[in-house]
Structures are given as structure tokens and as C-alpha cells.
Amino acid sequence: MVGQDVAGIVDEAENADRTSVAVLGAGGVGGLVGALLSRAGSDVRFVARDATVESLHAHGLRVRSGLLGDFDVPARATTHLGSPVDVLLVAVKQTGLAAALDLVPREALGDGVVVPLLNGVEHLDVLRARYGSERVVPATIRVESTRVAPGEIVHGSPFVEIDLVAGDVPDENVEAVRALLTDAGITATVRADEAALVWAKLSFLAPLALLTTRHGATIGEVRTTHRSELETLVAEVAAVAAASGAPADPAASLALYDRFPPGARSSMERDAQAGRPLEVDAIGGAVVRAAERLGVAVPLTSRFVAELG
């Protein structure tokens, strides 16, 4: 029945030696990572709203990927996490995080660890307050993956990379997560510096997301037609990152943009085209708030956030 935890469908004895994973969100990122873990043998269940649960029960997940191959997996799903898991992957948009967390009560998590695969930096405080800092493994993901229809995921980038930091979680638990992801075909690396981890992604993502969305442009158009704005945004965000204690290399960010396929688009720009809520506050707003706290001037970033917000 839709809305009930279907973990019991599979005999518990069969799952006894398998790592149990709950994936909060079955979109481009959660759907891809959850499908890869399921294909590799983990006991995966998705936590989502009724309509998504019903679709996953009926059709499972289909992944199309030039890097990882095309494959289908059956998908177990529930509207609320009702039994403990070893790992909870949080892969919803920041705009839906508060409502999504209501589907996973603290007591339901048990001794599992929480691995957030979200944009921005401020969600870590939210998750630590809810589940305890000893349960939250800071993480970032680099991937281009889109849900083109319910249960259908298209993976377009030549990589799926997840970086982890221990934070207050025991090292052995973090290593177990790294090994779990690696066994599923994901490039997973444990880093030493949390500030460097979260700001490395935001320093790359914020200028790109703001520019592509503001101009309705591809990455190729942004790095050519809007090059001066790109350089200014990169410099502003790098200054905030440096003031936050993270390494900053604007030249390296620009070189990375230049290596992307010219027709690529940011996820925020795709959301804008589809009329979905935008993560402007989680991405650009986080930069502006950090800049205000640290006394760093970010006039162009602030303007774009105001215009898009």
C-alpha cells in the first residue's frame, strides 16, 4: 500500500549482511546514487512523497549513463522512514529540505550516519541540530544528473564524485561510507578540511548557477558573452571562501568552466526553465550572508541574488 514502509517485502534474513541505505529524495542525484547502490547490492529504500512512492513501486528506476551504462533496478520506497538504517543520504533540493526532514524523525534513524548531497553550506547546521553532529558526515557531490520523468534518470557527466569529511563522526564510519560508495562505482574521497570541502563546491557552483540562470544561458555562453561578469563573480566568491578559512583559486575555477561542454547548463537554470523553485538563497544567498558576517564586499553577487530572488 502506498505510504507504508515496504522494507518487509524482502526477507530480513536476506538483507542481514547488506548495508541498509535510505535515500531522501529520488531526483537526479538521489535517484542516480540510490540506483547505483542498489545495483551494487545495498539494501536501498527511497523516502519520498506519495506520488513518487507509487511510481517507484510500479516502475522502479531506469538510469541512462554513458559512463556507467544503462540499467534498471527495482525500487523500494516509503513515505516515512520507520526503521533504522546504516546510512541516510539526503538528496533533496534545499528549498524542500525542511519538509523532507519531517519524513525522517531522529528516533527513526537509529545509529545511522547522515550524508547530505545538497548545494550550499548552511544545511550542515540544520542537519547537525536535528540528528547530532556525531551522525552527520559533511559531503559534496560533483555530477550532472537529471530526472527527466518519474523514475527515469539521465546521467550526463563523465564523472560521479563524492567528497567526504569526518567532522565529528568516527573515522571508521566515514571509511565505511567511502567504501560503500566506491563499491557502487562512485569516485569517493575522504578529505581533511570541512571548510575547504564545502567552499570548493560553492565557489564553483555559485557563479555558474547565478549567471546561467540570470541570463538563461549555457555554460559556453556564460564563459564567452558574459566573461567579465563570470570573472567578477568568481573573484567575489573566492574572497568569501578565503575569509572563511578555505583555499581559493579563481584561476583554477575559470579553467574548470572552460573545460565544460559548451552546451551544458546549471541545475538552477534548468529549474528556472521548468518553473520549479530556485535554490538562489541556498547558493547565492549563503555567499552573501557569509560575506556580510566576514566584512567582504560582494556587490555583483548581491545584485544577482536580489534580481533572481
Side-chain angles (χ1 to χ4, degrees):
M1 178 181 297
V2 175
Q4 293 184 343
D5 192 330
V6 299
I9 290 177
V10 180
D11 184 75
E12 291 187 4
E14 180 183 334
N15 289 333
D17 296 326
R18 302 165 67 196
T19 301
S20 58
V21 180
V23 181
L24 184 57
V29 170
L32 176 65
V33 176
L36 289 171
L37 289 169
S38 181
R39 183 174 72 164
S42 293
D43 173 22
V44 177
R45 76 194 77 166
F46 292 89
V47 184
R49 299 298 183 185
D50 284 304
T52 300
V53 169
E54 184 173 11
S55 175
L56 291 175
H57 284 176
H59 307 293
L61 273 168
R62 169 169 293 179
V63 174
R64 289 183 282 156
S65 170
L67 176 69
L68 303 162
D70 298 347
F71 63 96
D72 296 79
V73 293
R76 300 191 300 129
T78 176
T79 57
H80 290 80
L81 185 65
S83 57
V85 291
D86 299 313
V87 179
L88 170 68
L89 296 175
V90 182
V92 296
K93 295 282 190 180
Q94 183 81 20
T95 51
L97 179 62
L101 292 181
D102 288 339
L103 309 181
V104 186
R106 170 65 184 91
E107 58 273 15
L109 182 62
D111 293 330
V113 297
V114 180
V115 182
L117 303 177
L118 286 80
N119 294 323
V121 296
E122 296 168 334
H123 59 272
L124 289 172
D125 289 338
V126 174
L127 293 171
R128 283 168 166 155
R130 186 178 184 89
Y131 299 112
S133 62
E134 74 282 1
R135 294 273 172 255
V136 178
V137 181
T140 59
I141 184 168
R142 290 179 295 278
V143 68
E144 182 188 354
S145 183
T146 306
R147 187 181 74 165
V148 297
E152 187 172 351
I153 308 296
V154 175
H155 168 227
S157 58
F159 50 80
V160 185
E161 300 173 345
I162 294 178
D163 288 343
L164 311 162
V165 170
D168 295 327
V169 179
D171 290 342
E172 59 269 24
N173 292 352
V174 179
E175 172 56 27
V177 173
R178 187 205 64 77
L180 178 75
L181 296 170
T182 299
D183 289 346
I186 298 166
T187 301
T189 307
V190 178
R191 306 293 184 183
D193 187 327
E194 180 176 325
L197 175 81
V198 296
W199 278 99
K201 180 171 182 179
L202 192 57
S203 295
F204 171 79
L205 178 62
L208 186 65
L210 293 174
L211 270 170
T212 55
T213 306
R214 175 64 181 81
H215 294 296
T218 64
I219 291 176
E221 292 166 336
V222 160
R223 69 190 183 209
T224 52
T225 306
H226 306 287
R227 184 80 180 191
S228 63
E229 288 181 327
L230 177 62
E231 291 175 349
T232 298
L233 286 176
V234 167
E236 288 183 0
V237 180
V240 180
S244 300
D249 189 344
S253 294
L254 289 169
L256 184 56
Y257 296 133
D258 288 337
R259 291 198 296 271
F260 264 68
R265 297 179 178 274
S266 72
S267 61
M268 187 191 291
E269 195 271 337
R270 289 196 299 269
D271 285 341
Q273 292 297 326
R276 294 188 288 263
L278 303 182
E279 292 187 295
V280 176
D281 187 65
I283 296 172
V287 174
V288 173
R289 286 187 289 274
E292 291 173 348
R293 289 195 305 270
L294 298 165
V296 178
V298 290
L300 188 59
T301 305
S302 298
R303 192 190 94 198
F304 275 31
V305 169
E307 290 175 351
L308 290 168

